[in-house]
Coordinates of all heavy atoms in Angstrom, one line a residue:
M29 N -53.4 -54.5 69.4 CA -52.8 -54.3 70.7 C -52.4 -52.9 70.9 O -51.7 -52.4 70.1 CB -51.6 -55.3 70.8 CG -51.0 -55.3 72.2 SD -49.6 -56.5 72.3 CE -49.0 -56.1 73.8
F30 N -52.5 -52.4 72.1 CA -52.1 -51.1 72.4 C -50.7 -50.8 72.5 O -50.0 -51.6 73.3 CB -52.9 -50.5 73.6 CG -52.5 -49.1 74.1 CD1 -53.0 -48.0 73.4 CD2 -51.7 -48.9 75.1 CE1 -52.6 -46.7 73.8 CE2 -51.3 -47.7 75.5 CZ -51.8 -46.6 74.8
K31 N -50.1 -49.9 71.7 CA -48.5 -49.7 71.9 C -48.3 -48.4 72.6 O -48.8 -47.3 72.3 CB -48.0 -49.6 70.5 CG -46.5 -49.3 70.5 CD -46.1 -49.1 69.0 CE -44.7 -48.5 69.1 NZ -44.3 -48.1 67.7
V32 N -47.7 -48.5 73.8 CA -47.3 -47.3 74.5 C -46.2 -46.5 73.7 O -45.3 -47.1 73.3 CB -46.8 -47.6 75.9 CG1 -46.4 -46.4 76.6 CG2 -47.9 -48.5 76.7
P33 N -46.5 -45.2 73.5 CA -45.6 -44.4 72.8 C -44.2 -44.4 73.5 O -44.1 -44.3 74.7 CB -46.3 -43.0 72.8 CG -47.6 -43.2 73.0 CD -47.7 -44.4 73.9
T34 N -43.2 -44.5 72.7 CA -41.7 -44.6 73.3 C -41.5 -43.4 74.1 O -40.8 -43.5 75.1 CB -40.7 -44.6 72.1 OG1 -41.2 -45.7 71.2 CG2 -39.3 -44.7 72.6
T35 N -42.0 -42.2 73.8 CA -41.7 -40.9 74.5 C -42.3 -41.2 75.9 O -41.7 -40.7 77.0 CB -42.2 -39.7 73.8 OG1 -41.8 -39.7 72.6 CG2 -42.0 -38.5 74.6
V36 N -43.5 -41.7 76.1 CA -44.0 -41.9 77.4 C -43.2 -42.9 78.3 O -43.0 -42.7 79.4 CB -45.5 -42.6 77.2 CG1 -46.1 -43.0 78.6 CG2 -46.3 -41.5 76.6
L37 N -42.8 -44.0 77.6 CA -41.9 -45.0 78.4 C -40.6 -44.3 78.8 O -40.2 -44.4 80.0 CB -41.6 -46.2 77.4 CG -42.8 -47.2 77.2 CD1 -42.2 -48.1 76.2 CD2 -43.2 -47.9 78.4
I38 N -40.0 -43.6 77.9 CA -38.6 -42.9 78.3 C -38.9 -41.9 79.3 O -38.0 -41.6 80.1 CB -37.9 -42.6 76.9 CG1 -37.6 -43.8 76.1 CG2 -36.6 -41.8 77.3 CD1 -37.1 -43.5 74.8
T39 N -39.9 -41.2 79.1 CA -40.2 -40.2 80.2 C -40.4 -40.8 81.6 O -39.8 -40.3 82.6 CB -41.5 -39.3 79.8 OG1 -41.4 -38.7 78.6 CG2 -41.9 -38.2 81.0
G40 N -40.9 -41.9 81.7 CA -41.0 -42.7 82.9 C -39.6 -43.1 83.3 O -39.4 -43.0 84.5
V41 N -38.8 -43.5 82.4 CA -37.3 -43.8 82.8 C -36.7 -42.6 83.4 O -36.0 -42.7 84.5 CB -36.5 -44.3 81.5 CG1 -35.1 -44.3 81.9 CG2 -37.1 -45.5 81.0
V42 N -36.8 -41.5 82.8 CA -36.1 -40.3 83.2 C -36.7 -39.9 84.7 O -36.0 -39.5 85.6 CB -36.3 -39.1 82.3 CG1 -35.8 -37.8 82.9 CG2 -35.4 -39.4 80.9
L43 N -38.0 -39.9 84.8 CA -38.6 -39.5 86.1 C -38.3 -40.5 87.2 O -37.9 -40.0 88.3 CB -40.1 -39.5 86.1 CG -40.6 -38.3 85.0 CD1 -42.2 -38.5 85.0 CD2 -40.3 -36.9 85.7
L44 N -38.2 -41.8 86.9 CA -37.8 -42.8 88.0 C -36.3 -42.6 88.3 O -36.0 -42.6 89.4 CB -37.9 -44.2 87.4 CG -39.4 -44.8 87.5 CD1 -39.5 -46.1 86.8 CD2 -39.9 -44.8 88.9
E45 N -35.5 -42.2 87.3 CA -34.0 -42.0 87.6 C -33.9 -40.6 88.5 O -33.1 -40.6 89.4 CB -33.2 -41.9 86.4 CG -33.0 -43.2 85.7 CD -32.2 -43.2 84.4 OE1 -31.9 -42.0 83.8 OE2 -31.8 -44.2 83.9
L46 N -34.7 -39.7 88.1 CA -34.6 -38.4 88.9 C -35.0 -38.5 90.4 O -34.3 -38.2 91.2 CB -35.6 -37.4 88.2 CG -35.5 -36.0 88.8 CD1 -34.2 -35.4 88.7 CD2 -36.6 -35.1 88.1
V47 N -36.1 -39.3 90.6 CA -36.6 -39.7 91.9 C -35.5 -40.6 92.7 O -35.2 -40.4 93.7 CB -38.0 -40.3 91.9 CG1 -38.3 -40.9 93.4 CG2 -39.1 -39.4 91.4
G48 N -35.0 -41.5 91.9 CA -34.0 -42.4 92.5 C -32.7 -41.5 92.9 O -32.2 -41.8 94.0
D49 N -32.3 -40.6 92.0 CA -31.2 -39.7 92.4 C -31.5 -38.9 93.7 O -30.7 -38.8 94.6 CB -30.9 -38.8 91.3 CG -30.1 -39.3 90.2 OD1 -29.6 -40.5 90.2 OD2 -30.3 -38.7 89.1
I50 N -32.7 -38.5 93.9 CA -33.1 -37.7 95.0 C -33.0 -38.5 96.3 O -32.4 -38.2 97.2 CB -34.6 -37.1 94.9 CG1 -34.5 -36.0 93.9 CG2 -35.0 -36.6 96.2 CD1 -35.9 -35.6 93.4
F51 N -33.5 -39.9 96.3 CA -33.5 -40.7 97.4 C -32.0 -41.1 97.7 O -31.6 -41.1 98.9 CB -34.3 -42.0 97.1 CG -35.8 -41.9 97.3 CD1 -36.6 -42.2 96.3 CD2 -36.2 -41.4 98.5 CE1 -38.0 -42.0 96.5 CE2 -37.6 -41.2 98.6 CZ -38.5 -41.6 97.7
L52 N -31.3 -41.5 96.7 CA -29.8 -41.7 96.9 C -29.0 -40.6 97.5 O -28.2 -40.7 98.3 CB -29.2 -42.3 95.8 CG -29.7 -43.7 95.3 CD1 -29.2 -44.1 93.9 CD2 -29.4 -44.8 96.3
K53 N -29.3 -39.3 97.0 CA -28.6 -38.2 97.6 C -28.9 -38.0 99.0 O -28.1 -37.6 99.9 CB -29.0 -37.0 96.6 CG -28.2 -35.8 97.1 CD -26.7 -35.8 96.8 CE -26.0 -34.5 97.2 NZ -24.5 -34.6 96.9
K54 N -30.3 -38.1 99.4 CA -30.7 -37.9 100.7 C -30.1 -39.0 101.5 O -29.6 -38.8 102.7 CB -32.2 -38.0 100.9 CG -32.8 -36.7 100.3 CD -34.3 -36.5 100.6 CE -34.8 -35.2 100.1 NZ -34.3 -34.1 100.8
W55 N -30.1 -40.2 101.1 CA -29.4 -41.3 101.8 C -27.9 -41.0 102.1 O -27.4 -41.3 103.1 CB -29.5 -42.6 101.0 CG -28.6 -43.7 101.5 CD1 -28.7 -44.5 102.6 CD2 -27.4 -44.2 100.8 NE1 -27.7 -45.4 102.7 CE2 -26.8 -45.3 101.7 CE3 -26.6 -43.8 99.7 CZ2 -25.7 -45.9 101.3 CZ3 -25.5 -44.5 99.5 CH2 -25.0 -45.6 100.2
A56 N -27.2 -40.4 101.1 CA -25.8 -40.3 101.1 C -25.5 -39.1 102.1 O -24.5 -39.2 102.8 CB -25.2 -39.9 99.7
I57 N -26.3 -38.0 102.2 CA -25.9 -36.8 102.9 C -26.7 -36.6 104.1 O -26.2 -36.0 105.2 CB -26.0 -35.5 102.1 CG1 -27.3 -35.2 101.6 CG2 -25.0 -35.6 100.9 CD1 -27.6 -33.8 101.0
H58 N -27.8 -37.4 104.2 CA -28.7 -37.2 105.5 C -28.8 -38.5 106.3 O -29.5 -38.6 107.2 CB -30.1 -36.7 105.1 CG -30.1 -35.4 104.6 ND1 -29.6 -34.3 105.2 CD2 -30.5 -34.9 103.3 CE1 -29.8 -33.2 104.4 NE2 -30.3 -33.6 103.2
D59 N -28.0 -39.5 106.0 CA -28.0 -40.8 106.6 C -29.4 -41.3 106.8 O -29.8 -41.5 108.0 CB -27.2 -40.7 108.0 CG -26.8 -42.1 108.4 OD1 -26.8 -43.0 107.7 OD2 -26.8 -42.1 109.7
W60 N -30.1 -41.6 105.7 CA -31.4 -42.2 105.8 C -31.5 -43.6 106.1 O -32.4 -44.3 106.1 CB -32.1 -41.9 104.4 CG -32.8 -40.7 104.3 CD1 -32.5 -39.4 105.0 CD2 -34.0 -40.4 103.5 NE1 -33.3 -38.4 104.6 CE2 -34.3 -39.0 103.7 CE3 -34.7 -41.1 102.7 CZ2 -35.3 -38.3 103.0 CZ3 -35.7 -40.4 101.9 CH2 -36.0 -39.1 102.1
G61 N -30.2 -44.2 106.3 CA -30.1 -45.7 106.4 C -30.5 -46.4 105.1 O -30.3 -45.9 104.1
M62 N -30.8 -47.7 105.3 CA -31.1 -48.5 104.3 C -32.4 -48.1 103.5 O -32.5 -48.5 102.3 CB -31.3 -50.0 104.7 CG -30.0 -50.6 105.0 SD -28.7 -50.4 103.7 CE -29.3 -51.5 102.5
V63 N -33.3 -47.4 104.2 CA -34.6 -47.1 103.5 C -34.3 -46.2 102.2 O -34.9 -46.4 101.1 CB -35.5 -46.2 104.5 CG1 -36.7 -45.7 103.8 CG2 -36.0 -47.2 105.6
G64 N -33.4 -45.1 102.3 CA -33.2 -44.2 101.3 C -32.4 -45.0 100.1 O -32.7 -44.8 98.9
F65 N -31.6 -45.8 100.6 CA -30.8 -46.7 99.6 C -31.7 -47.6 98.8 O -31.7 -47.7 97.6 CB -29.7 -47.4 100.2 CG -28.9 -48.2 99.3 CD1 -28.0 -47.7 98.5 CD2 -29.2 -49.6 99.2 CE1 -27.2 -48.5 97.6 CE2 -28.5 -50.3 98.2 CZ -27.5 -49.8 97.4
V66 N -32.5 -48.3 99.6 CA -33.5 -49.3 98.9 C -34.4 -48.5 97.9 O -34.8 -49.0 96.8 CB -34.2 -50.2 100.0 CG1 -35.3 -50.9 99.3 CG2 -33.2 -51.0 100.7
L67 N -35.0 -47.4 98.4 CA -36.0 -46.7 97.6 C -35.2 -46.2 96.3 O -35.7 -46.3 95.2 CB -36.6 -45.5 98.4 CG -37.6 -45.9 99.4 CD1 -38.0 -44.6 100.2 CD2 -38.8 -46.5 98.8
G68 N -34.0 -45.6 96.5 CA -33.3 -45.1 95.3 C -32.9 -46.3 94.3 O -33.1 -46.2 93.1
A69 N -32.5 -47.4 94.9 CA -32.2 -48.5 94.0 C -33.4 -49.0 93.3 O -33.3 -49.5 92.2 CB -31.4 -49.6 94.8
G70 N -34.6 -49.1 94.1 CA -35.8 -49.6 93.4 C -36.2 -48.7 92.3 O -36.6 -49.2 91.3
M71 N -35.9 -47.4 92.4 CA -36.3 -46.4 91.4 C -35.5 -46.7 90.1 O -35.9 -46.7 88.9 CB -36.1 -45.0 91.7 CG -37.1 -44.5 92.8 SD -38.7 -44.5 92.2 CE -39.6 -45.1 93.6
Y72 N -34.2 -47.0 90.4 CA -33.2 -47.4 89.2 C -33.6 -48.7 88.6 O -33.6 -48.8 87.3 CB -31.9 -47.3 89.6 CG -31.2 -46.0 89.5 CD1 -31.2 -45.1 90.6 CD2 -30.6 -45.6 88.4 CE1 -30.5 -43.8 90.4 CE2 -30.1 -44.4 88.2 CZ -30.0 -43.4 89.4 OH -29.5 -42.3 89.2
L73 N -34.0 -49.7 89.4 CA -34.5 -50.9 88.8 C -35.8 -50.7 87.9 O -35.9 -51.3 86.8 CB -34.8 -51.8 90.0 CG -35.4 -53.2 89.6 CD1 -34.4 -54.0 88.6 CD2 -35.8 -54.0 90.6
G74 N -36.7 -49.9 88.5 CA -37.9 -49.6 87.6 C -37.6 -48.9 86.4 O -38.1 -49.1 85.4
A75 N -36.6 -47.9 86.4 CA -36.1 -47.3 85.2 C -35.5 -48.2 84.2 O -35.8 -48.1 83.1 CB -35.2 -46.1 85.6
T76 N -34.8 -49.2 84.8 CA -34.1 -50.1 83.7 C -35.2 -51.0 83.1 O -35.1 -51.2 81.9 CB -33.1 -51.0 84.6 OG1 -32.1 -50.2 85.2 CG2 -32.4 -52.0 83.6
L77 N -36.2 -51.5 83.9 CA -37.2 -52.3 83.3 C -38.0 -51.5 82.1 O -38.4 -52.0 81.2 CB -38.2 -52.7 84.4 CG -37.5 -53.8 85.5 CD1 -38.5 -54.0 86.6 CD2 -37.1 -55.0 84.6
L78 N -38.4 -50.2 82.5 CA -39.0 -49.3 81.4 C -38.1 -49.1 80.3 O -38.6 -49.1 79.1 CB -39.4 -47.9 82.1 CG -40.7 -47.9 82.9 CD1 -41.0 -46.5 83.3 CD2 -41.9 -48.4 81.9
W79 N -36.8 -49.0 80.6 CA -35.9 -48.8 79.3 C -35.9 -49.9 78.5 O -36.0 -49.9 77.2 CB -34.5 -48.5 79.9 CG -33.5 -48.4 78.8 CD1 -32.5 -49.3 78.5 CD2 -33.4 -47.3 77.8 NE1 -31.7 -48.9 77.4 CE2 -32.3 -47.7 77.0 CE3 -34.0 -46.1 77.5 CZ2 -31.8 -46.8 75.9 CZ3 -33.6 -45.3 76.6 CH2 -32.6 -45.7 75.7
A80 N -35.9 -51.2 79.1 CA -36.0 -52.5 78.4 C -37.2 -52.5 77.6 O -37.3 -52.9 76.4 CB -35.7 -53.7 79.4
S81 N -38.4 -52.2 78.2 CA -39.6 -52.1 77.4 C -39.6 -51.2 76.3 O -40.0 -51.5 75.3 CB -40.8 -51.7 78.4 OG -41.0 -52.7 79.5
S82 N -39.0 -50.1 76.4 CA -38.9 -49.1 75.4 C -38.0 -49.7 74.2 O -38.4 -49.3 72.9 CB -38.3 -47.7 75.8 OG -36.9 -47.8 76.0
L83 N -37.1 -50.5 74.4 CA -36.3 -51.1 73.3 C -37.0 -52.2 72.6 O -36.6 -52.6 71.5 CB -35.0 -51.5 73.9 CG -34.0 -50.5 74.4 CD1 -32.7 -51.1 75.0 CD2 -33.7 -49.5 73.4
E84 N -38.1 -52.6 73.4 CA -38.9 -53.7 72.5 C -39.7 -52.9 71.4 O -40.0 -53.7 70.5 CB -39.8 -54.3 73.5 CG -39.2 -55.3 74.4 CD -40.2 -56.0 75.3 OE1 -41.3 -55.4 75.7 OE2 -39.9 -57.1 75.9
V85 N -40.0 -51.7 71.5 CA -40.8 -51.1 70.6 C -40.1 -50.0 69.7 O -40.7 -49.5 68.8 CB -42.1 -50.4 71.2 CG1 -43.0 -51.4 71.9 CG2 -41.7 -49.3 72.3
E86 N -38.9 -49.8 70.0 CA -38.1 -48.8 69.3 C -36.6 -49.1 69.1 O -36.1 -50.0 69.9 CB -38.1 -47.5 70.2 CG -37.7 -46.2 69.4 CD -38.6 -46.0 68.2 OE1 -39.7 -45.7 68.3 OE2 -38.0 -46.3 67.1
T87 N -36.1 -48.6 68.1 CA -34.7 -48.9 68.0 C -33.7 -48.3 69.0 O -34.1 -47.3 69.7 CB -34.1 -48.3 66.5 OG1 -34.1 -46.9 66.5 CG2 -34.8 -48.9 65.5
L88 N -32.6 -48.7 69.2 CA -31.6 -48.1 70.2 C -31.3 -46.7 70.0 O -31.3 -45.8 70.8 CB -30.5 -49.0 70.5 CG -29.4 -48.5 71.4 CD1 -30.0 -48.5 72.8 CD2 -28.2 -49.5 71.4
A89 N -31.0 -46.5 68.7 CA -30.6 -45.1 68.2 C -31.7 -44.1 68.6 O -31.4 -42.9 69.1 CB -30.2 -45.1 66.8
R90 N -33.0 -44.4 68.2 CA -34.1 -43.4 68.4 C -34.4 -43.4 69.9 O -34.6 -42.3 70.4 CB -35.3 -43.9 67.6 CG -36.4 -43.0 67.7 CD -37.5 -43.3 66.6 NE -38.4 -42.3 66.5 CZ -39.6 -42.4 66.9 NH1 -40.1 -43.5 67.4 NH2 -40.5 -41.4 66.7
A91 N -34.3 -44.4 70.5 CA -34.7 -44.4 72.0 C -33.6 -43.6 72.7 O -33.8 -42.7 73.7 CB -34.8 -45.8 72.6
G92 N -32.4 -43.7 72.4 CA -31.2 -43.0 73.1 C -31.4 -41.5 72.7 O -31.1 -40.7 73.7
L93 N -31.7 -41.2 71.5 CA -32.0 -39.7 71.3 C -33.1 -39.2 72.1 O -33.0 -38.1 72.6 CB -32.4 -39.6 69.8 CG -32.5 -38.1 69.2 CD1 -31.3 -37.3 69.4 CD2 -32.9 -38.2 67.8
I94 N -34.3 -39.8 72.1 CA -35.3 -39.4 73.0 C -35.0 -39.4 74.3 O -35.4 -38.4 75.0 CB -36.5 -40.4 72.7 CG1 -37.1 -40.3 71.2 CG2 -37.7 -40.0 73.7 CD1 -38.0 -41.3 70.9
Y95 N -34.2 -40.3 74.9 CA -33.8 -40.3 76.3 C -33.0 -39.0 76.5 O -33.2 -38.3 77.6 CB -33.0 -41.5 76.6 CG -32.3 -41.4 78.0 CD1 -33.2 -41.7 79.1 CD2 -31.1 -41.0 78.1 CE1 -32.7 -41.7 80.5 CE2 -30.6 -40.9 79.5 CZ -31.3 -41.3 80.5 OH -30.8 -41.1 81.8
G96 N -32.0 -38.7 75.6 CA -31.2 -37.6 75.9 C -31.9 -36.3 76.0 O -31.6 -35.4 76.8
V97 N -32.8 -36.1 75.0 CA -33.6 -34.8 75.0 C -34.5 -34.7 76.1 O -34.6 -33.6 76.8 CB -34.4 -34.7 73.6 CG1 -35.3 -33.5 73.6 CG2 -33.5 -34.7 72.6
I98 N -35.2 -35.8 76.5 CA -36.0 -35.7 77.6 C -35.3 -35.5 79.1 O -35.7 -34.7 79.9 CB -37.0 -37.0 77.7 CG1 -38.0 -37.0 76.7 CG2 -37.7 -37.1 79.2 CD1 -38.8 -38.2 76.4
A99 N -34.1 -36.1 79.2 CA -33.4 -35.9 80.3 C -33.0 -34.4 80.4 O -32.9 -33.8 81.3 CB -32.1 -36.8 80.2
L100 N -32.6 -33.8 79.2 CA -32.3 -32.5 79.2 C -33.3 -31.6 79.7 O -33.2 -30.6 80.5 CB -31.8 -32.0 77.7 CG -31.6 -30.5 77.5 CD1 -30.2 -30.1 77.6 CD2 -32.3 -30.1 76.3
I101 N -34.6 -31.8 79.1 CA -35.7 -31.1 79.5 C -36.0 -31.2 81.0 O -36.3 -30.2 81.7 CB -36.9 -31.6 78.6 CG1 -36.8 -31.2 77.1 CG2 -38.2 -31.0 79.2 CD1 -37.8 -31.7 76.3
A102 N -35.9 -32.5 81.5 CA -36.1 -32.7 83.0 C -35.1 -31.9 83.8 O -35.4 -31.4 84.8 CB -36.1 -34.2 83.3
G103 N -33.9 -32.0 83.3 CA -32.8 -31.3 84.2 C -33.0 -29.8 84.1 O -32.9 -29.1 85.2
V104 N -33.4 -29.3 83.0 CA -33.7 -27.7 83.0 C -34.9 -27.5 84.0 O -34.8 -26.5 84.7 CB -34.0 -27.4 81.6 CG1 -34.5 -25.8 81.5 CG2 -32.6 -27.4 80.7
C105 N -35.9 -28.2 83.8 CA -37.1 -27.9 84.7 C -36.7 -28.1 86.2 O -37.2 -27.3 87.0 CB -38.3 -29.0 84.3 SG -38.9 -28.5 82.7
T106 N -36.0 -29.1 86.5 CA -35.6 -29.3 87.9 C -34.7 -28.1 88.4 O -34.9 -27.6 89.4 CB -34.6 -30.6 88.0 OG1 -35.6 -31.8 87.6 CG2 -34.3 -30.7 89.4
G107 N -33.8 -27.6 87.5 CA -33.0 -26.4 87.9 C -33.8 -25.2 88.1 O -33.7 -24.4 89.0
L108 N -34.7 -25.0 87.2 CA -35.7 -23.8 87.3 C -36.5 -23.9 88.5 O -36.8 -22.9 89.3 CB -36.5 -23.7 86.1 CG -35.8 -23.4 84.8 CD1 -36.7 -23.5 83.6 CD2 -35.1 -22.0 84.8
M109 N -37.2 -25.0 88.8 CA -38.2 -25.2 89.8 C -37.7 -25.3 91.2 O -38.2 -24.7 92.1 CB -39.1 -26.3 89.5 CG -40.1 -26.0 88.3 SD -41.4 -27.3 88.0 CE -40.4 -28.7 87.8
F110 N -36.6 -26.1 91.4 CA -36.2 -26.5 92.8 C -35.0 -25.7 93.1 O -34.6 -25.5 94.3 CB -35.8 -27.9 92.7 CG -37.0 -28.9 92.6 CD1 -37.3 -29.5 91.5 CD2 -38.0 -28.8 93.6 CE1 -38.4 -30.3 91.3 CE2 -39.1 -29.7 93.5 CZ -39.3 -30.5 92.3
F111 N -34.1 -25.2 92.2 CA -32.9 -24.5 92.5 C -32.9 -23.1 92.0 O -31.9 -22.4 92.1 CB -31.7 -25.2 91.9 CG -31.6 -26.7 92.5 CD1 -31.9 -27.7 91.8 CD2 -31.2 -26.8 93.7 CE1 -31.8 -29.0 92.1 CE2 -31.2 -28.2 94.3 CZ -31.5 -29.3 93.4
H112 N -34.0 -22.6 91.5 CA -34.2 -21.3 91.0 C -33.1 -20.7 90.2 O -32.6 -19.5 90.2 CB -34.4 -20.4 92.3 CG -35.5 -20.9 93.2 ND1 -36.9 -20.8 92.9 CD2 -35.3 -21.5 94.5 CE1 -37.4 -21.4 94.0 NE2 -36.6 -21.7 94.9
E113 N -32.7 -21.6 89.3 CA -31.7 -21.1 88.2 C -32.3 -20.3 87.2 O -33.5 -20.3 87.0 CB -31.0 -22.3 87.7 CG -30.3 -23.2 88.7 CD -29.6 -24.5 88.1 OE1 -30.0 -24.9 87.1 OE2 -28.9 -25.1 88.8
H114 N -31.5 -19.6 86.5 CA -31.9 -18.7 85.4 C -31.3 -19.2 84.1 O -30.1 -19.6 84.1 CB -31.7 -17.3 85.8 CG -32.3 -16.8 87.0 ND1 -33.7 -16.5 87.1 CD2 -31.9 -16.6 88.2 CE1 -33.8 -16.1 88.3 NE2 -32.9 -16.2 89.0
L115 N -32.0 -19.0 83.0 CA -31.5 -19.3 81.7 C -31.3 -18.1 80.9 O -32.1 -17.2 81.0 CB -32.5 -20.2 81.0 CG -32.8 -21.6 81.5 CD1 -33.8 -22.3 80.7 CD2 -31.6 -22.4 81.8
S116 N -30.3 -18.1 80.1 CA -30.0 -17.0 79.2 C -31.1 -17.2 78.0 O -31.7 -18.2 77.9 CB -28.6 -17.0 78.6 OG -28.4 -18.2 77.8
I117 N -31.1 -16.1 77.1 CA -31.9 -16.2 76.0 C -31.5 -17.4 75.1 O -32.2 -18.2 74.6 CB -31.8 -14.9 75.1 CG1 -32.3 -13.8 76.0 CG2 -32.5 -15.0 73.8 CD1 -33.7 -13.8 76.2
A118 N -30.1 -17.8 74.9 CA -29.7 -18.8 74.0 C -30.2 -20.1 74.7 O -30.5 -21.0 74.0 CB -28.2 -18.8 74.0
N119 N -30.1 -20.2 76.0 CA -30.5 -21.4 76.7 C -32.1 -21.6 76.5 O -32.5 -22.7 76.3 CB -30.2 -21.3 78.3 CG -28.8 -21.4 78.6 OD1 -28.5 -20.6 79.6 ND2 -28.0 -22.0 77.9
W120 N -32.9 -20.6 76.6 CA -34.3 -20.7 76.3 C -34.5 -21.2 74.9 O -35.5 -22.1 74.7 CB -35.0 -19.3 76.7 CG -35.4 -19.2 78.1 CD1 -34.8 -18.3 78.9 CD2 -36.3 -20.0 78.8 NE1 -35.4 -18.4 80.2 CE2 -36.2 -19.5 80.2 CE3 -37.1 -21.1 78.5 CZ2 -37.1 -19.9 81.2 CZ3 -37.9 -21.6 79.6 CH2 -37.9 -21.0 80.9
I121 N -33.8 -20.6 74.0 CA -33.9 -20.9 72.5 C -33.6 -22.6 72.4 O -34.4 -23.3 71.8 CB -33.1 -20.1 71.7 CG1 -33.6 -18.8 71.6 CG2 -33.0 -20.8 70.2 CD1 -32.6 -17.7 70.9
G122 N -32.5 -22.9 73.0 CA -32.2 -24.4 73.0 C -33.2 -25.3 73.7 O -33.6 -26.3 73.2
F123 N -33.8 -24.9 74.8 CA -34.9 -25.5 75.5 C -36.1 -25.7 74.6 O -36.6 -26.7 74.5 CB -35.1 -24.8 76.8 CG -36.2 -25.4 77.7 CD1 -35.9 -26.6 78.3 CD2 -37.5 -24.9 77.8 CE1 -36.8 -27.3 79.2 CE2 -38.4 -25.6 78.6 CZ -38.1 -26.8 79.3
V124 N -36.5 -24.6 73.9 CA -37.6 -24.7 73.0 C -37.4 -25.7 71.8 O -38.2 -26.4 71.5 CB -38.0 -23.3 72.6 CG1 -39.1 -23.3 71.5 CG2 -38.7 -22.5 73.8
L125 N -36.2 -25.6 71.3 CA -35.8 -26.5 70.3 C -35.7 -27.9 70.7 O -36.2 -28.8 69.8 CB -34.5 -26.1 69.6 CG -34.4 -24.8 68.8 CD1 -33.0 -24.4 68.5 CD2 -35.4 -24.8 67.7
A126 N -35.4 -28.2 71.9 CA -35.4 -29.5 72.4 C -36.8 -30.1 72.6 O -37.2 -31.2 72.1 CB -34.8 -29.6 73.8
I127 N -37.7 -29.2 72.9 CA -39.2 -29.6 72.9 C -39.7 -29.9 71.5 O -40.4 -30.9 71.3 CB -40.0 -28.5 73.8 CG1 -39.6 -28.4 75.2 CG2 -41.5 -28.8 73.6 CD1 -40.2 -27.4 75.9
I128 N -39.4 -29.0 70.6 CA -39.8 -29.2 69.2 C -39.1 -30.4 68.5 O -39.9 -31.2 67.9 CB -39.4 -27.9 68.3 CG1 -40.2 -26.7 68.8 CG2 -39.5 -28.2 66.9 CD1 -39.7 -25.4 68.2
S129 N -37.9 -30.8 69.1 CA -37.4 -32.0 68.5 C -38.0 -33.2 68.9 O -38.2 -34.2 68.1 CB -35.9 -32.1 68.8 OG -35.7 -32.4 70.2
I130 N -38.5 -33.2 70.1 CA -39.3 -34.5 70.6 C -40.6 -34.5 69.8 O -41.1 -35.7 69.5 CB -39.6 -34.3 72.1 CG1 -38.3 -34.6 73.0 CG2 -40.7 -35.3 72.6 CD1 -37.9 -36.0 72.9
I131 N -41.2 -33.3 69.5 CA -42.5 -33.5 68.9 C -42.2 -34.0 67.4 O -42.9 -34.8 66.9 CB -43.1 -32.0 68.7 CG1 -43.5 -31.7 70.0 CG2 -44.3 -32.0 67.7 CD1 -44.0 -30.2 70.2
L132 N -41.1 -33.6 66.8 CA -40.8 -33.9 65.5 C -40.3 -35.5 65.4 O -40.8 -36.2 64.4 CB -39.6 -33.1 64.9 CG -40.0 -31.7 64.6 CD1 -38.8 -30.9 64.1 CD2 -41.0 -31.6 63.5
I133 N -39.6 -35.9 66.4 CA -39.3 -37.4 66.5 C -40.5 -38.2 66.7 O -40.6 -39.3 65.9 CB -38.3 -37.6 67.8 CG1 -37.0 -37.0 67.4 CG2 -38.3 -39.0 68.1 CD1 -36.0 -36.9 68.7
E134 N -41.5 -37.8 67.4 CA -42.8 -38.6 67.6 C -43.6 -38.6 66.3 O -44.3 -39.5 66.0 CB -43.5 -38.0 68.7 CG -43.1 -38.6 70.0 CD -43.1 -40.1 70.1 OE1 -44.1 -40.8 69.7 OE2 -42.0 -40.8 70.5
L135 N -43.6 -37.4 65.6 CA -44.4 -37.4 64.3 C -43.8 -38.1 63.3 O -44.6 -38.6 62.3 CB -44.6 -35.9 63.9 CG -45.4 -35.0 64.9 CD1 -45.4 -33.5 64.4 CD2 -46.8 -35.6 64.9
F136 N -42.4 -38.2 63.1 CA -41.9 -38.9 62.0 C -41.0 -40.0 62.6 O -40.4 -40.7 62.1 CB -41.0 -37.9 61.2 CG -41.8 -36.7 60.7 CD1 -41.7 -35.5 61.4 CD2 -42.6 -36.8 59.6 CE1 -42.3 -34.3 61.0 CE2 -43.3 -35.7 59.2 CZ -43.2 -34.4 59.9

C-alpha cells in the first residue's frame, strides 16, 4: 500500500491553514459575508482532516516538529513574496537550516 510521506500531508495542513487565514481575514475586514467565513472554516476543516491522517502514519512528536518547521518556512515565504519583507543574514541562515532539518527528518 502506498504511504503518503508525512511531510507532504503536513505541508497540505499548513497550506490549507494559510489559505483559511486569508479567507477569514478578508471576511473579517472586507465584510465578505458568509462566503468568506465558510471558505475559511472549510479550509480549517480540511487541514484538521489532513492532520489526523498524518497522525495515523507518524508519531505526534515527529509530526509536531515537522509542522512547526514547515509553518516557519511558509511564514517566511509569505512574508518575502506578499509583504516584501527582508531577512538579515542570521535569518537567512536559520531559514536554510530549517529546510535542512526537514530533509534530515525525512531521511532518518
